[in-house]
Amino acid sequence: MKILVVEDDVNKLRNIVGVLSGIEGIILDDISQVSDAVRAKKHLREAAVDMIVLDLHLPDRIDLPPQANGGIDFIRSIMTRPDFFMPSHVVAISGNPEALANAGGDAGEIWGVIRYDATSNAWREQLTSRVRYAQAAWRSNFSRPRPTRPCDLAIVTALDEELAAVLRLPLGWKQHEFEGDGTIYHEGQLTCGSKHLRVMAATANRMGMAATAVLASKVIEGYRPQYICMAGLTGGIRGRVKLGDILVADPSWDWGSGKYEVVDGKPRFAADPQQLRISADIQPKLMQASEDAGLLAAVKASFAGNKPGNSLECHVKAVASGAAVLGDDAVVEEIKNQSRKLHGVEMEIYGLMMAAATCSKPRPIAFSAKAVSDFADTTKNDDLRSYAVHVSANFVVEFARRYLFA
């Protein structure tokens, strides 16, 4: 718990800090101190605090004399401005009779007024009591679980353009934000026959397994979805997939997992991939969908822009995740040695699968359905990115409608 003491009297400040630092759970690093209203406002513009211990007889600036209304005026000013971090608790403490009298009619704006008397222990006991209550409230709020908004299917992406493709699906999307969480979540409804299923979508706004694992963990905590899926773009292995094809990763792993060792005086990377497989509860359905020519044709036909001449195909095959975008044929060949059935290389899926596999119960069933936008080699072509993000998003929803919740 962070405490700001606003006090211009050095001796009184020393006594207050002595009381605060003597309370269990509070250390000196938790306590900040300023001596006037201007510095206190500066502090609250830059950092949040949980409690202010405020001198009522306070100067506006350190070079000005203290005013009996100084503390009350300071509190009023920060309450009416949106650019300050507002503390949950404000305790006023003063030995000035005029300041105490002026505060009498303003008790609603602060959380208790304590009369300071250096010769008495009463103020120490009152301050300690208020701080301990604030500590208990702070711990309660900190440990209180975030309310969940249960949903049937969660869709996560790494990039904004991938999320945009999901949000173009006509599911009546509405935004939602959790308090204290900067991520914007989108909630919609998917109709499957007589069922009305709750769907949510969010993006990590950056590539990589770490960002995806963090986002997936927040989604799981906030929504407890039955299924969580990753949509978007992937690199494919030339000769095994075509541009625009959908790849469902099974298994997925981190191709950079392992260690470097010295062999015959030369460094060598010894891969140690820990593969994660799709749940047996969903794998047969994904295999069925991958062979559903009608579904795949409908997904392709739903895109109005430039699309490849070949039929859309779906492959439930090995996809490796890594920490970098690949453009080196030699590295791709090394990754192929980790799985002879490698069909794709990308940067996020393993993070999703790991988050779902290691979260607290009930755990969602995780899968991915990314579309090939380039080949994982030195040849890059972005001509079909719009098509790829479209078929990925639409395949996920059609798979959910025809197989997951049919």
Side-chain angles (χ1 to χ4, degrees), residues 209-225:
M209 286 179 283
T212 293
V214 170
L215 174 62
S217 296
K218 292 198 297 182
V219 168
I220 292 168
E221 177 189 357
Y223 288 90
R224 288 295 166 186

Side-chain angles (χ1 to χ4, degrees), residues 33 36 49 60 94 97 174 190 229 274 296-297 308 315 349 359 374 376 386 398 401:
Q33 180 272 329
D36 58 68
V49 299
D60 189 49
S94 180
K174 295 180 180 180
L190 175 65
C229 173
Q274 306 295 315
L296 296 172
H315 310 266
I349 294 172
C359 69
D374 61 62
S386 296
E398 285 305 310
R401 182 180 282 122

Side-chain angles (χ1 to χ4, degrees), residues 298-376:
V299 168
K300 180 180 179 180
S302 67
F303 184 70
N306 180 39
K307 46 193 169 187
N310 52 274
S311 300
L312 176 62
E313 295 183 9
C314 178
H315 310 266
V316 183
K317 295 291 184 180
V319 178
S321 301
V325 177
L326 290 183
D328 187 332
D329 295 344
V331 175
V332 174
E333 289 303 315
E334 290 183 10
I335 300 172
K336 287 181 180 178
N337 292 331
Q338 298 177 15
S339 173
R340 61 185 178 85
K341 296 182 179 180
L342 181 72
H343 274 57
V345 180
E346 52 81 71
M347 297 179 63
E348 294 88 23
I349 294 172
Y350 186 71
L352 168 81
M353 301 298 290
M354 181 60 74
T358 58
C359 69
S360 60
K361 295 180 179 180
R363 298 188 180 107
I365 295 176
F367 66 102
S368 62
K370 288 191 171 189
V372 178
S373 61
D374 61 62
F375 295 112

Side-chain angles (χ1 to χ4, degrees), residues 107-338:
E109 297 181 4
I110 53 181
W111 188 53
V113 178
I114 298 174
R115 180 179 179 275
Y116 176 79
D117 181 353
T119 65
S120 170
N121 284 326
W123 72 270
R124 300 174 189 269
E125 295 169 357
Q126 292 172 16
L127 178 59
T128 298
S129 176
R130 283 168 170 77
V131 172
R132 284 177 175 163
Y133 179 89
Q135 277 183 308
W138 177 80
R139 291 188 183 115
S140 175
N141 288 332
F142 186 77
S143 61
R144 185 179 295 127
R146 185 169 70 175
T148 58
R149 301 169 67 85
C151 76
D152 300 290
L153 173 65
I155 305 172
V156 298
T157 72
L159 301 174
D160 288 342
E161 65 179 307
E162 297 167 337
L163 176 64
V166 175
L167 297 182
R168 283 193 289 269
L169 295 166
L171 302 183
W173 298 104
K174 295 180 180 180
Q175 290 188 7
H176 177 75
E177 296 182 48
F178 289 102
E179 183 179 356
D181 183 353
T183 299
I184 297 175
Y185 301 90
H186 305 266
E187 301 174 350
Q189 187 176 88
L190 175 65
T191 300
C192 298
S194 60
K195 300 176 184 177
H196 299 288
L197 305 171
R198 291 163 295 184
V199 182
M200 65 77 52
T203 183
N205 289 315
R206 66 187 66 182
M207 297 187 294
M209 286 179 283
T212 293
V214 170
L215 174 62
S217 296
K218 292 198 297 182
V219 168
I220 292 168
E221 177 189 357
Y223 288 90
R224 288 295 166 186
Q226 184 178 354
Y227 300 95
I228 184 168
C229 173
M230 187 157 208
L233 305 174
T234 181
I237 301 301
R238 188 182 296 274
R240 298 182 179 180
V241 297
K242 296 182 292 293
L243 291 177
D245 281 0
I246 295 165
L247 271 177
V248 175
D250 187 31
S252 65
W253 71 97
D254 176 3
W255 62 259
S257 177
K259 67 177 182 179
Y260 280 93
E261 56 189 12
V262 177
V263 179
D264 297 329
K266 297 180 180 180
R268 185 185 71 178
F269 179 70
D272 185 23
Q274 306 295 315
Q275 296 185 341
L276 292 176
R277 302 300 302 255
I278 290 177
S279 168
D281 292 333
I282 194 176
Q283 201 267 356
K285 295 179 180 179
L286 284 164
M287 291 299 299
Q288 280 184 280
S290 72
E291 298 169 359
D292 187 335
L295 183 157
L296 296 172
V299 168
K300 180 180 179 180
S302 67
F303 184 70
N306 180 39
K307 46 193 169 187
N310 52 274
S311 300
L312 176 62
E313 295 183 9
C314 178
H315 310 266
V316 183
K317 295 291 184 180
V319 178
S321 301
V325 177
L326 290 183
D328 187 332
D329 295 344
V331 175
V332 174
E333 289 303 315
E334 290 183 10
I335 300 172
K336 287 181 180 178
N337 292 331
Q338 298 177 15

Side-chain angles (χ1 to χ4, degrees), residues 381-400:
N381 188 334
D382 290 337
D383 291 347
L384 293 177
R385 285 179 71 92
S386 296
Y387 171 74
V389 294
H390 174 89
V391 298
S392 169
N394 279 263
F395 176 84
V396 169
V397 169
E398 285 305 310
F399 170 66

